[in-house]
Amino acid sequence: MGAVSKPFERDQRPPRELPKLRLVVPESLSPAAAVPQPVPTHSSTMTDTQTANSLPQHAELATPLKPTAKLLEELKEANRGLETATPEAIIQWASDRFAPHLTMATAFGPEGCVILSMLSRVAPATYVFNLETGYQFQQTLDLRDQIAEKYGIEVDMLTPELSVPAYEAMHGGPLYKTNPNQCCFDRKITVLRRAVEGKHAWMSGIRRDQSSDRAKISTVAWDSKFNLVKVSPLANWVKQDVWKRISDEAIPYNRLHDQGYPSVGCWPCTRAVPNGDDDERAGRWSGTQKTECGLHSLEADGSGI
Ligand code: SF4
């Protein structure tokens, strides 16, 4: 692994222009305690007071799926059949089987941007959201508009209940410095749980070659962490496949990748890796044992990935 700087020593994020502001007053705060929260104006369906507690209903809520023996057998069968399928064919299958209760979470990584380009051709009505923790780089937020302009897909930016100032005030400072697992849980997992309520399946851009944990994923599987089906259209792709597609089709991508960031997450927990590193997850929570935010990590029983 190449040399990496220690995390959390200082704010190393590139200069960031604030997005246009809208006020969000979390219900749990008294008016006196409420802190204005910057929210990108490009949330396609959120209202002025919308937070993860009152998510937009893109489609009628579906009765939750249950992991019955019949469903698990169906998923196993589908997984076998799709193992050598193209990502587009996998997305088509997911859309045919689960739309309108199919959704996708994206952090605007290269894989997410590639899937968004595929979605625009295969299943453009799919509801796509981003977990806007309040700690994302401006370059990441800018991608939302670039994708909308090129593909007509408006990614919904979903925020946690508490703004960053309110959250840090509640914890006596930034929790990412002292308890990043809790911070990820509060600002990502909780929002994701609410976003997928009433959905039957979600897609993500993870690939098997990204890490030893991710090497175990199936193309289609039951996700017991979030109680719905997880579809990974790029499970079989390798890094070169992703970047070739980006180059061939001029797909918008996060320019931080050109500045030594192999993977881009929240700015406090992401570092450039100046000397390069084969590990695509290098630079995330560097200097700690943490490797995943919890969205894609294995449960103790091996499920939920
Ligand atoms: Fe918090 Fe860091 Fe997790 Fe973002 S990646 S939610 S800042 S701990």
Side-chain angles (χ1 to χ4, degrees):
M1 174 178 292
V4 291
S5 55
K6 285 184 186 167
F8 318 139
E9 285 178 338
R10 63 187 188 278
D11 179 354
Q12 297 180 322
R13 61 186 160 157
R16 171 178 177 165
E17 285 175 24
L18 281 177
K20 291 173 192 153
L21 301 186
R22 287 193 300 157
L23 297 186
V24 171
V25 182
E27 286 175 9
S28 57
L29 294 179
S30 69
V35 182
Q37 179 187 21
V39 175
T41 53
H42 42 229
S43 177
S44 62
T45 51
M46 282 198 290
T47 64
D48 280 354
T49 54
Q50 192 159 40
T51 68
N53 273 348
S54 56
L55 292 171
Q57 295 310 313
H58 184 260
E60 211 173 296
L61 288 183
T63 308
L65 279 184
K66 293 212 170 74
T68 59
K70 191 173 168 211
L71 177 65
L72 295 179
E73 190 48 48
E74 180 196 339
L75 299 182
K76 224 187 258 181
E77 184 75 18
N79 189 52
R80 272 195 293 270
L82 293 169
E83 188 51 39
T84 55
T86 62
E88 286 90 342
I90 296 168
I91 294 169
Q92 185 72 65
W93 173 85
S95 178
D96 291 347
R97 174 65 179 82
F98 298 110
H101 306 301
L102 170 69
T103 187
M104 176 190 169
T106 183
F108 298 109
E111 295 78 13
C113 294
V114 165
I115 294 180
L116 282 162
S117 75
M118 295 171 176
L119 270 181
S120 70
R121 293 189 291 266
V122 177
T126 305
Y127 174 65
V128 186
F129 62 92
N130 166 267
L131 302 175
E132 207 324 41
T133 61
Y135 291 115
Q136 293 190 105
F137 289 91
Q138 185 59 46
Q139 287 90 334
T140 307
L141 299 175
D142 289 345
L143 267 172
R144 193 268 175 201
D145 294 333
Q146 293 163 22
I147 294 286
E149 195 176 322
K150 178 144 187 168
Y151 299 114
I153 294 180
E154 304 265 341
V155 177
D156 226 350
M157 311 296 280
L158 301 181
T159 58
E161 184 180 359
L162 292 182
S163 67
V164 165
Y167 185 67
E168 293 187 355
M170 189 172 87
H171 291 286
L175 205 57
Y176 57 75
K177 290 185 177 178
T178 54
N179 193 348
N181 284 337
Q182 186 65 47
C183 184
C184 278
F185 183 83
D186 295 339
R187 306 199 72 77
K188 291 184 179 176
I189 307 293
T190 304
V191 179
L192 177 61
R193 276 196 204 289
R194 290 179 185 141
V196 299
E197 268 172 23
K199 299 292 181 196
H200 282 171
W202 72 301
M203 279 186 294
S204 91
I206 59 175
R207 308 188 328 263
R208 292 191 182 119
D209 72 326
Q210 282 174 314
S211 69
S212 53
D213 256 3
R214 295 185 178 188
K216 303 169 189 124
I217 61 169
S218 302
T219 302
V220 179
W222 179 252
D223 183 341
S224 59
K225 187 184 284 265
F226 298 105
N227 275 323
L228 73 177
V229 175
K230 184 166 184 174
V231 181
S232 303
L234 302 184
N236 264 337
W237 271 26
V238 295
K239 182 179 173 180
Q240 288 76 8
D241 295 325
V242 174
W243 285 103
K244 182 172 186 318
R245 181 64 68 93
I246 287 174
S247 165
D248 288 351
E249 296 188 6
I251 296 171
Y253 67 95
N254 197 322
R255 295 294 160 172
L256 289 173
H257 294 303
D258 298 334
Q259 298 169 32
Y261 291 79
S263 172
V264 179
C266 296
W267 63 258
C269 304
T270 304
R271 293 290 176 263
V273 183
N275 300 329
D277 195 310
D278 287 341
D279 178 1
E280 278 183 73
R281 302 287 289 170
R284 301 290 296 278
W285 303 283
S286 59
T288 77
Q289 295 300 307
K290 187 171 167 65
T291 57
E292 296 274 0
C293 58
L295 266 58
H296 305 296
S297 54
L298 279 169
E299 296 290 358
D301 65 359
S303 62
I305 184 170

